[in-house]
Amino acid sequence: MPETTEHIVIVGAGAAGLMAARELARSGRKVTVLEARERCGGRILPLPVEEFGYPAAGGAEFVHGEAPVTRELLREAGLSLHEIAGEQWSFDGMTLSREERDDPHEAELQAVLRDLKDDLSVAEFLRRHFAGDDYAPMRQSIERMVEGYDAADPERASTLALREEWMDGGHAPQARIDGGYGALIDFLAAHCRRFGVTIHLGCVVSAIEEGGDTAAVRCAGGDVHVCDRVILTVPLPLLREMALPASARARLAAAGDIGFGNVIKILLRFARPWWRERHQDLAAMTFLLSDRTIPVWWTQYPGGQAVLTGWFGGPRTAELDNLDPRGLIEAGLDSLAAIFKLSREDIARELVAAAATNWAHDPFARGAYSWATPRTRAAQAILARADGLVLFSGEALYRGRDMGTVEAALASGQETAGMILRG
């Protein structure tokens, strides 16, 4: 291991920060990680096993697509994945039905996407190429996916960034980690400490200053950490609240061309899987889409846990901004009651445990994750430059590359560490 006195401070102990810390420390750098929360993981939020009966997740849950960096880490950690199978159902306001994934306009959509050269917002793309009444169901489906799955605004979201996702018809593999993402974070944090990384929890960074060849990172409690370089891995909204050196502040101005969306996630554990008992056809249901206040639900299928997870993403989450976690749980119960034509009281009687997170209300996140606009690639190139002693890293620098949020964070942390190690 090479001898070096270079000291690097990483702000944020989420996936990107821990990944960068591990890569740097095992190559001989001195690394200090400063984390505002009293835990590692950031927007990876494990929930108590004793409450939900399994390693439930209040934040990131799925491994999307090939995810090579994530899967390599899982192999190192001895953690396994199980692929998600099952059926997708929908509620149209009257009836529940198994959703057909084949759209009659799918071939036409893919042909237009293949020929698309100039990027457009999703909304503008649909207006230009699929404006007729015949296309209305497809437009609604695409906009629902952009808002819900990508937590993005169709009026700003990049069509080219989402093209690969659309070209596979939504059939990219999805999986869950046995033990949840929390187990992966535990592995990364333990590896960091094994290689000598110092992790300070409860340290809210307020300012970074450059002076000659060193930087000073100031925490709200008064602590100051002097180092050779700083890597910032916190969510975009928090970066704008830090006092940064002029060169970093100039690069950060480009972040306005990267979208940042919100998600509300609700987990409801019941005494029994009453939805399967009421509708035996739902035995293999994975996802359920609706027009209710909480529009998307999923089960733990093929696992047998009696848990329904509610999901609401995108700009319209602002409609529920006034609700606290209890209010969100009530909204979830009301939505399920409407979908299954049951009384809310009957469903509530079956409730064993519940948790709800509006990520916009989280003071150390201010939302869920980033998404790409037509100008995002140019903005990412500016943010990724190694001007001065402050570097930016995190999932926002990898959005638009057809990868999930955690994979993007891990890949960005790995790349930032590699850039420093390459000199």
Side-chain angles (χ1 to χ4, degrees):
M1 191 174 288
E3 292 293 329
T4 179
T5 58
E6 186 177 24
H7 179 204
I8 298 160
V9 168
I10 298 174
V11 181
L18 292 177
M19 187 66 169
R22 186 185 82 141
E23 299 300 295
L24 290 165
R26 69 180 179 180
S27 294
R29 273 36 174 198
K30 177 184 177 182
V31 180
T32 301
V33 176
L34 307 178
E35 168 54 50
R37 304 177 191 274
E38 295 296 340
R39 61 172 180 82
C40 294
R43 288 162 281 174
I44 292 172
L45 175 60
L47 298 175
V49 173
E50 57 271 19
E51 288 188 24
F52 289 92
Y54 72 104
E61 180 173 346
F62 299 105
V63 177
H64 301 283
E66 297 304 319
V69 181
T70 302
R71 290 172 188 263
E72 176 57 33
L73 269 181
L74 292 174
R75 282 190 287 272
E76 287 185 50
L79 297 170
S80 58
L81 281 173
H82 61 270
E83 300 292 331
I84 295 171
E87 301 166 349
Q88 185 163 296
W89 286 68
S90 63
F91 176 70
D92 63 6
M94 294 294 293
T95 59
L96 278 167
S97 60
R98 188 180 291 107
E99 190 162 274
E100 298 295 335
R101 296 199 176 195
D102 295 328
D103 189 286
H105 304 294
E106 182 71 24
E108 187 179 356
L109 171 66
Q110 297 211 11
V112 175
L113 286 171
R114 272 194 299 270
D115 293 339
L116 189 66
K117 300 295 189 295
D118 297 323
D119 205 355
L120 301 167
S121 74
V122 170
E124 181 61 24
F125 170 79
L126 294 174
R127 283 192 290 266
R128 286 193 192 183
H129 298 281
F130 300 98
D133 291 342
D134 289 348
Y135 298 116
M138 185 182 74
R139 288 198 306 271
Q140 182 182 20
S141 175
I142 289 172
E143 289 175 349
R144 182 172 64 181
M145 180 190 71
V146 170
E147 290 183 345
Y149 179 77
D150 298 292
D153 181 353
E155 292 291 346
R156 293 188 64 215
S158 161
T159 300
L160 289 181
L162 297 170
R163 178 162 59 182
E164 288 184 45
E165 184 180 313
W166 295 352
M167 291 296 282
D168 70 22
H171 299 297
Q174 293 194 91
R176 289 187 180 96
I177 301 169
D178 293 325
Y181 270 116
L184 188 62
I185 289 296
D186 289 343
F187 168 77
L188 268 180
H191 246 211
C192 285
R193 292 186 172 103
R194 185 183 308 165
F195 288 115
V197 175
T198 301
I199 301 176
H200 293 290
L201 302 177
C203 182
V204 179
V205 172
S206 58
I208 298 170
E209 301 164 357
E210 288 183 355
D213 294 331
T214 62
V217 182
R218 299 188 179 277
C219 298
D223 290 343
V224 179
H225 299 265
V226 178
C227 59
D228 300 290
R229 292 178 189 260
V230 182
I231 303 175
L232 295 173
T233 71
V234 300
L236 292 180
L238 300 183
L239 290 173
R240 300 184 182 102
E241 298 175 3
M242 286 183 190
L244 298 177
S247 61
R249 180 65 61 185
R251 280 179 288 140
L252 183 59
D257 290 327
I258 303 174
F260 192 78
N262 187 39
V263 162
I264 292 170
K265 190 174 183 183
I266 303 167
L267 283 88
L268 304 177
R269 181 188 181 189
F270 298 97
R272 58 193 177 88
W274 50 264
W275 57 94
R276 294 205 298 262
E277 296 170 8
R278 184 172 176 82
H279 298 274
Q280 293 186 357
D281 289 346
L282 301 181
M285 181 180 73
T286 303
F287 290 96
L288 171 59
L289 310 180
S290 76
D291 60 353
R292 300 294 95 183
T293 301
I294 306 301
V296 180
W297 293 88
W298 63 74
T299 68
Q300 291 298 307
Y301 182 85
Q305 297 89 351
V307 174
L308 290 174
T309 299
W311 177 273
F312 185 20
R316 292 188 301 115
T317 56
E319 298 167 6
L320 303 185
D321 205 48
N322 62 323
L323 296 183
D324 62 8
R326 184 68 241 173
L328 293 174
I329 291 166
E330 298 292 337
L333 292 171
D334 287 339
S335 296
L336 290 174
I339 293 169
F340 289 98
K341 294 183 168 56
L342 293 169
S343 75
R344 186 196 160 286
E345 290 71 23
D346 285 344
I347 295 177
R349 273 194 290 272
E350 298 285 341
L351 194 62
V352 173
T357 303
N358 182 341
W359 281 96
H361 292 175
D362 185 299
F364 303 123
R366 306 287 175 80
Y369 44 78
S370 305
W371 44 270
T373 74
R375 297 170 60 89
T376 286
R377 283 296 180 93
Q380 290 169 332
I382 294 170
L383 285 168
R385 288 202 312 249
D387 297 344
L389 305 180
V390 178
L391 287 76
F392 296 104
S393 188
E395 50 92 16
L397 272 69
Y398 267 59
R399 299 314 283 166
R401 305 192 190 194
D402 194 32
M403 59 177 68
T405 305
V406 178
E407 172 74 4
L410 292 170
S412 181
Q414 187 179 63
E415 172 59 26
T416 305
M419 185 165 57
I420 290 175
L421 295 174
R422 292 190 298 269

